[in-house]
Every structure is written in structure tokens, then in C-alpha cells.
Amino acid sequence: MALFVRGGHFLKCRSDITRAVTALQPYCSSVASGRQRVNGVDVYYERTGSGNHAVLLLPGALGSTRTDFKPQLKSLNKECFTVVAWDPPGYGQSRPPERKFTPDFFERDAKDAVDLMKALGFGKFSLLGWSDGGMTALIAAAKNPELMRKIVVWGANAYVTQQDLQIYEGVRDVSGWSARMRQPMEEVYGAETFARTWEAWVDCFAEFGKRPEGSVCIEVLPLISCPTLIIHGEKDPVVPSFHAHFLLKNIKGSRLHLMPEGKHNLHLRYADEFNKLVEDFLKE
């Protein structure tokens, strides 16, 4: 949940990939944008760097490259990494289609994310997933072990509790959010579409809560075999710390890094510290 409380070698892209490469915002003139047809959807992505370690950034709920990852696109080492950020189908600039929160939407996102990277010519790659994107990364890593180099997840949870659902229900009505919190999403979606889509997200997680153990992706955690770094902000008001410790316990060989002052958007608030932590892990 992205609330605004808020591996292998690089291969030449196939010639049939259509890339509308343009210079982007001043935050990083070396970032290029493109669209790639993936499973029937024209998926929008941004890409920077020329390193032989490919990395995909996966945004949180309703998130996009525009709202979620500017500090990472700007500052992650461009000689070591080729960094790709995407708007999952139904989010950001990967619309149409309108977002549908079906019970399998995380599995669908995981398949689309992997298929995007394969279409862009990457044989193996790492995943960096925030919040909902973290859950997508966990599923993608479990189902595609042969493609994974490493994964980093933060603000993610493999199941939902009644405590979690109360938090989500408390922010269902976006009219109660501050203007600062609403603005980034309303700029992307428009006020009406944002409010409607957010309510659909809350409804979907209420349905997850009816599953055994409230599972979102508990069952796939033992299947993850790549090195995994879990980052958690100890002041995260959205995802309680027991979720991070659950991931640590259930993902073999994983490690947990706690950020004492970190909140849910720690990669934005403490971008320099976060980026160094991630780079050091990916370079090991």
C-alpha cells in the first residue's frame, strides 16, 4: 500500500520494440521513456543507466514512475545498473485499461513485470518493490527463480490483519486526506478517478482479509531463493513492523534492515541512505 503519508547481462533490445525515447523532467535528463506492448497493454516505462545489472522498480498502490521513484531514477549508479521503472497496467500512463482489482491482481502484475523485462531484452534482473510493489516482487521472484538476481522490498506485507484493515478503512475517503497527500495522485488520475480507484483498492484488501490467515502471498514465500533484502521504517504508520519480521522468518536467507526514523515512504524521505543501502546490497 503506497499511501502518501506519504539479474544478468544487458542484451540489445529486439528491433520490434517500439520506444518513444524522449528527454524527461529536469530531475534526470538521462532518463528515457518508452512504451512496450505487454500482454495486450501498452506499458509505460522509464529507463536510465547502462550497467550490466538490470533493476526494475515496482511502485505502490496506484503508484507510477512519476509519483514513486524520482530519487532512484536520478541517483542510483548509472554505470553499475540499468534502472527501469514502470507504470503497471491500469496505473499512471499505462492506461487504458482501467485498473481492475481482481483477486489475482498481484499475480497479474508479477507476470506483466517479468514479461516487460524480458521484452526489453534482460535475461536476469533484480526487483525493487515498494509496498504493493513489494508484494508483486515477492510473487515474481517466487515464480521466476531462474530470472532473479536479487530483490529488495520495503513497506510490504504478505498478509493482512484486522489492524491493517482498520488502517485502510480509515483512509478510504480521500476527501479527508490533506491537499499535499492528494495532489500527486489527483494530478495523475484526476480527482474523481483517483477516489474511485482508491476505494476499489480498499475493497479488494477487505476481501484478502477473508482468506485463511488473511494471505496475500504467504504461500509463495518459501519458494523465493534469490538474495532478499527487507527494509522497514520503524515509524511506518501504514505497515506495522511485525510484517517485516514475518517476511524475514519465512524467506530463506533474507536479511532485514530497520530504519529508526523511516516511515512508509522512506525511500523518498531518506533517499540517499536508501539508495546507498540498495546499491551496496546489489553489488555484493
Side-chain angles (χ1 to χ4, degrees), residues 77-114:
N77 190 309
K78 293 174 174 52
E79 294 182 359
C80 294
F81 307 107
T82 296
V83 181
V84 179
W86 78 318
D87 293 3
Y91 284 172
Q93 297 188 63
S94 293
R95 295 176 296 147
E98 183 176 341
R99 186 67 169 187
K100 300 294 183 183
F101 292 106
T102 57
D104 65 342
F105 86 88
F106 280 117
E107 287 77 9
R108 202 172 66 236
D109 281 356
K111 175 174 171 51
D112 289 341
V114 168

Side-chain angles (χ1 to χ4, degrees), residues 207-275:
E207 292 301 311
F208 285 140
K210 298 175 184 178
R211 292 178 174 180
E213 300 181 273
S215 177
V216 178
C217 59
I218 291 175
E219 59 282 352
V220 307
L221 300 183
L223 304 178
I224 298 172
S225 57
C226 64
T228 301
L229 174 62
I230 303 153
I231 305 173
H232 189 75
E234 294 189 83
K235 293 185 177 180
D236 189 336
V238 178
V239 179
S241 61
F242 59 77
H243 285 297
H245 289 281
F246 183 88
L247 294 178
L248 178 68
K249 180 179 178 180
N250 287 276
I251 301 174
K252 184 177 180 180
S254 61
R255 68 181 77 167
L256 172 61
H257 180 90
L258 298 174
M259 295 178 64
E261 297 301 315
K263 295 185 179 180
H264 196 56
N265 61 347
L266 56 85
H267 68 297
L268 301 176
R269 177 65 178 83
Y270 300 102
D272 291 345
E273 179 182 352
F274 174 87
N275 287 352

Side-chain angles (χ1 to χ4, degrees), residues 1-3 6 58-63 68 86 88 91 99 101 105-107 109-110 128-139 153-157 160 168 198 201-202 204-205 208 216-217 238-239 264:
M1 175 183 180
L3 260 184
R6 0 187 168 150
L58 298 101
L62 281 68
D68 288 14
W86 78 318
Y91 284 172
R99 186 67 169 187
F101 292 106
F105 86 88
F106 280 117
E107 287 77 9
D109 281 356
L128 271 61
W130 176 35
S131 199
D132 271 23
M135 296 177 235
T136 301
L138 295 170
I139 294 169
V153 298
W154 65 105
N157 46 301
V160 291
Y168 306 160
W198 181 254
W201 183 94
V202 174
C204 183
F205 268 76
F208 285 140
V216 178
C217 59
V238 178
V239 179
H264 196 56

Side-chain angles (χ1 to χ4, degrees), residues 3-232:
L3 260 184
F4 280 85
V5 197
R6 0 187 168 150
H9 297 286
F10 169 66
L11 303 176
K12 185 177 180 181
C13 294
R14 299 181 319 197
S15 59
D16 62 343
I17 294 176
T18 302
R19 298 183 60 214
V21 179
T22 59
L24 292 184
Q25 299 94 331
Y27 73 85
C28 186
S29 61
S30 64
V31 177
S33 67
R35 294 187 182 275
Q36 172 62 46
R37 192 76 173 174
V38 177
N39 299 323
V41 176
D42 288 327
V43 171
Y44 175 84
Y45 66 92
E46 296 182 6
R47 174 173 172 169
T48 187
S50 58
N52 65 3
H53 189 150
V55 178
L56 176 65
L57 308 177
L58 298 101
L62 281 68
S64 63
T65 60
R66 177 178 176 181
T67 58
D68 288 14
F69 291 122
K70 286 185 178 181
Q72 285 66 52
L73 287 165
K74 177 180 179 181
S75 299
L76 284 175
N77 190 309
K78 293 174 174 52
E79 294 182 359
C80 294
F81 307 107
T82 296
V83 181
V84 179
W86 78 318
D87 293 3
Y91 284 172
Q93 297 188 63
S94 293
R95 295 176 296 147
E98 183 176 341
R99 186 67 169 187
K100 300 294 183 183
F101 292 106
T102 57
D104 65 342
F105 86 88
F106 280 117
E107 287 77 9
R108 202 172 66 236
D109 281 356
K111 175 174 171 51
D112 289 341
V114 168
D115 288 348
L116 170 65
M117 293 300 278
K118 290 163 67 176
L120 293 177
F122 299 107
K124 295 188 74 175
F125 44 88
S126 293
L127 301 176
L128 271 61
W130 176 35
S131 199
D132 271 23
M135 296 177 235
T136 301
L138 295 170
I139 294 169
K143 294 191 172 185
N144 303 275
E146 74 285 357
L147 299 177
M148 296 296 123
R149 296 187 67 167
K150 298 183 178 183
I151 63 172
V152 181
V153 298
W154 65 105
N157 46 301
Y159 62 99
V160 291
T161 66
Q162 287 304 307
Q163 177 182 345
D164 298 318
L165 296 178
Q166 288 173 6
I167 293 172
Y168 306 160
E169 194 62 37
V171 293
R172 170 189 288 275
D173 182 359
V174 299
S175 68
W177 295 20
S178 69
R180 180 183 61 83
M181 291 165 61
R182 292 196 312 268
Q183 182 179 0
M185 292 301 192
E186 291 181 346
E187 288 178 353
V188 172
Y189 295 100
E192 182 179 340
T193 298
F194 167 49
R196 182 178 68 248
T197 307
W198 181 254
E199 285 196 1
W201 183 94
V202 174
D203 289 340
C204 183
F205 268 76
E207 292 301 311
F208 285 140
K210 298 175 184 178
R211 292 178 174 180
E213 300 181 273
S215 177
V216 178
C217 59
I218 291 175
E219 59 282 352
V220 307
L221 300 183
L223 304 178
I224 298 172
S225 57
C226 64
T228 301
L229 174 62
I230 303 153
I231 305 173
H232 189 75

